[in-house]
C-alpha cells in the first residue's frame, strides 16, 4: 500500500487537486466558524432571554423553548434537507453553501442555548437574591455575577460541541456543498487510493479541530477563575 | 417615630400561606428581634419586606410611605433604603472582598469609585478585615465572609438593616466576632430587624422581641416579658424549651 501511495503522491498533490482541497477546507472552515460564532452568540442570547422573568418577554421564551427542543431532536441531516427543500420552494436563489450555513447556525444555536441554560442554572440562587437586593437589574446580574461564574460550567461542553460540530459539517456534502468530505469522495472517484485521499482529509480535519480544542482549554483557564468557588 | 411598619401582611408560596396577619412596628433606632421555631416564617418576612416574595395582602410602610410591590420603582426604592445580610452570606463568588462591597454603590448608585473604595476600606477595617481586600470569598472563613456581607450592606448607607440568622451558619467560635460587629451598629442607632437563634444576644440588644410560630405573630413585647414572663402558652412552651439548656 505504501508503494502505491508513494507512486500516486506526485499526481495527487498536483496544483489543481491542492487548490480543490484547500477550497474544500475553506468551506468546512467557514461552515464551522460561522456555525460556532453565530451559535454561540444566538445561543447565549436565547438562554439569557429564557432565564428572564419579565412578562414582555414571555412570548419570546415560548418560541425559544419550542425552537431549542425541536432542533436538538432532529438529526443534523434532516435539518439540512429541510432547509434545502424549504429554500428550493421559496426560490430565494441561495447557493447550497448558503443553505448549509443557515442549517449549521440553526443547529448550533439550539445546542448552545441548552448548554448555556444549564450553565446559568448552575449558579447558586443566593447569588440572584443578593444581586436583587442590591438593586441590580436582570441583565446586570447576568453580566456582573452569573455569567462570570457560569463560564467554567459552560465552556467545556461548548468546546466539545464545537469539535463534534466541525465533523458534522461533513453532512453538508449530502446537499452538494464541496467541503472536505465531498472533496475526498471526488478525488477517490478519480482513482486515487482511499488511504491517500482520506488520510489527507483526516489530517485536514485534525488541523481544524486541534487549534480549536487548544483555544478552548486556554479560554477555560483564562475566563474561568475556577479556584474561586 | 415609626420607621418600618408592617400591617396585616400575608404571603403565600404557591397555594400555601406562609405568613398571615403579620403586624409589626420598628421605631427609628430600635432593634426588633424575630424569634421562633424553624419554619415559622421569620426569614420569609424579611424576604417579603425586600420584595423577593411579593405579599398577597397587607402593607409594608417605610417612614410612613406605603410600598407597592407591583411597582418596580417602589421595590427599587425600598431596596435602596433597606439592606439585608443573609444567613449564607451570599457574597459574589467571582469578586474579591473590596469589589463585593463597592460594586453596588459604584455601578448601581453611580458614585465615584475612589470615594466608595475609601469608605469600603474603612468599613472593612471596622469589621476587622482591612487586610483581606483582595481575598476571594472562598479564601475566607464563614465569620469573615459574614462580616464582609455586613460591610457590603453598610456600604449602601441603609436606613434599616435586616439580619437573617447571620450567625446560624457559623462555627461557635466565629459567632462572637459577628455579634460584636452588630453590637457596634446597635450603639450607633441603626434601625435593625433581626432574625436570630442567639437568645442571650437577642435579650441583650433588642428593644422589642417578636415571637412567631406557623406564619403568625404570637406575642410581641420587651425582651424581659418574652423571656421571663411570656403571656401566651405557645411562647411559654418555646421559651421553656430553649432556656432549659
Amino acid at each position: 500500500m505504501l508503494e502505491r501511495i508513494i507512486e500516486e503522491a506526485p499526481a495527487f498533490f498536483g496544483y489543481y487537486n491542492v487548490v480543490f482541497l484547500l477550497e474544500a477546507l475553506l468551506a468546512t472552515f467557514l461552515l464551522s466558524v460561522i456555525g460556532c460564532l453565530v451559535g454561540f452568540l444566538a445561543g447565549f442570547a436565547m438562554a439569557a432571554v429564557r432565564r428572564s422573568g419579565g412578562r414582555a418577554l414571555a412570548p419570546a421564551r415560548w418560541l425559544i423553548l419550542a425552537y431549542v427542543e425541536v432542533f436538538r431532536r432532529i438529526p443534523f441531516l434532516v435539518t439540512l434537507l429541510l432547509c434545502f427543500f424549504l429554500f428550493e420552494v421559496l426560490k430565494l436563489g441561495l447557493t447550497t453553501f448558503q443553505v448549509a450555513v443557515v442549517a449549521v447556525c440553526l443547529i448550533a444555536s439550539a445546542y448552545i442555548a441548552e448548554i448555556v441554560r444549564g450553565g446559568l442554572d448552575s449558579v447558586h440562587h443566593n447569588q440572584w437574591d443578593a444581586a436583587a437586593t442590591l438593586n441590580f437589574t436582570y441583565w446586570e446580574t447576568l453580566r456582573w455575577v452569573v455569567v462570570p461564574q457560569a463560564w467554567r460550567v459552560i465552556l467545556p461542553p461548548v468546546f466539545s460541541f464545537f469539535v463534534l460540530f466541525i465533523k458534522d459539517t461533513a453532512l453538508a456534502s449530502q446537499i452538494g456543498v464541496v467541503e472536505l468530505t465531498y472533496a475526498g469522495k471526488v478525488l477517490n472517484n478519480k482513482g486515487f487510493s482511499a488511504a491517500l485521499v482520506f488520510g489527507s482529509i483526516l489530517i485536514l480535519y485534525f488541523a481544524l479541530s486541534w487549534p480549536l480544542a487548544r483555544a478552548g482549554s486556554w479560554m477555560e483557564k483564562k475566563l474561568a477563575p475556577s479556584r474561586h468557588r | 417615630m415609626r420607621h418600618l411598619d408592617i400591617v396585616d401582611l400575608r404571603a403565600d408560596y404557591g397555594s400555601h400561606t406562609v405568613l398571615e396577619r403579620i403586624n409589626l412596628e420598628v421605631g427609628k433606632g430600635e432593634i426588633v428581634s424575630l424569634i421562633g421555631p424553624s419554619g415559622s416564617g421569620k426569614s420569609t418576612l424579611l424576604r417579603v419586606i425586600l420584595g423577593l416574595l411579593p405579599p398577597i395582602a397587607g402593607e409594608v410602610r417605610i417612614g410612613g410611605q406605603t410600598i407597592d410591590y407591583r411597582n418596580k420603582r417602589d421595590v427599587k426604592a425600598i431596596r435602596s433604603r433597606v439592606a439585608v445580610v443573609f444567613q449564607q452570606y451570599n457574597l459574589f463568588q467571582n469578586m474579591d472582598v473590596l469589589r463585593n462591597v463597592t460594586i453596588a454603590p459604584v455601578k448601581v448608585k453611580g458614585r465615584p469609585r475612589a470615594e466608595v473604595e475609601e469608605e469600603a476600606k474603612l468599613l472593612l477595617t471596622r469589621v476587622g478585615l482591612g487586610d483581606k481586600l483582595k481575598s476571594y470569598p472562598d479564601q475566607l472563613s464563614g465569620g469573615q465572609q459574614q462580616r464582609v456581607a455586613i460591610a457590603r450592606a453598610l456600604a449602601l448607607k441603609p436606613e434599616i438593616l435586616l439580619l437573617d440568622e447571620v450567625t446560624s451558619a457559623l462555627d461557635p467560635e466565629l459567632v462572637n466576632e459577628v455579634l460584636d460587629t452588630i453590637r457596634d451598629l446597635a450603639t450607633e442607632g441603626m434601625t435593625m430587624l433581626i432574625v436570630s437563634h442567639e437568645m442571650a444576644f437577642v435579650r441583650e440588644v433588642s428593644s422589642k422581641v417578636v415571637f412567631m410560630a406557623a406564619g403568625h405573630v404570637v406575642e410581641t413585647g420587651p425582651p424581659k416579658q418574652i423571656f421571663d414572663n411570656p403571656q401566651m402558652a405557645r411562647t411559654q412552651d418555646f421559651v421553656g424549651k430553649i432556656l432549659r439548656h
Side-chain angles (χ1 to χ4, degrees), chain A residues 131-155:
Chain A
T133 58
L134 294 176
N135 267 334
F136 291 8
T137 64
Y138 172 71
W139 300 100
E140 287 168 348
T141 306
L142 275 185
R143 190 171 138 212
W144 296 331
V145 179
V146 174
V147 171
Q149 293 182 52
W151 275 129
R152 59 187 199 99
V153 179
I154 292 172
L155 284 181

Side-chain angles (χ1 to χ4, degrees), chain A residues 16-52:
Chain A
Y16 289 104
N17 282 353
V18 169
V19 169
F20 182 57
L21 274 176
L22 286 180
E23 278 174 359
L25 177 68
L26 182 67
T28 294
F29 177 76
L30 286 177
L31 281 178
S32 307
V33 167
I34 296 171
C36 290
L37 280 180
V38 172
F40 193 72
L41 296 175
F44 224 101
M46 285 192 290
V49 170
R50 216 175 139 184
R51 191 72 173 69
S52 68

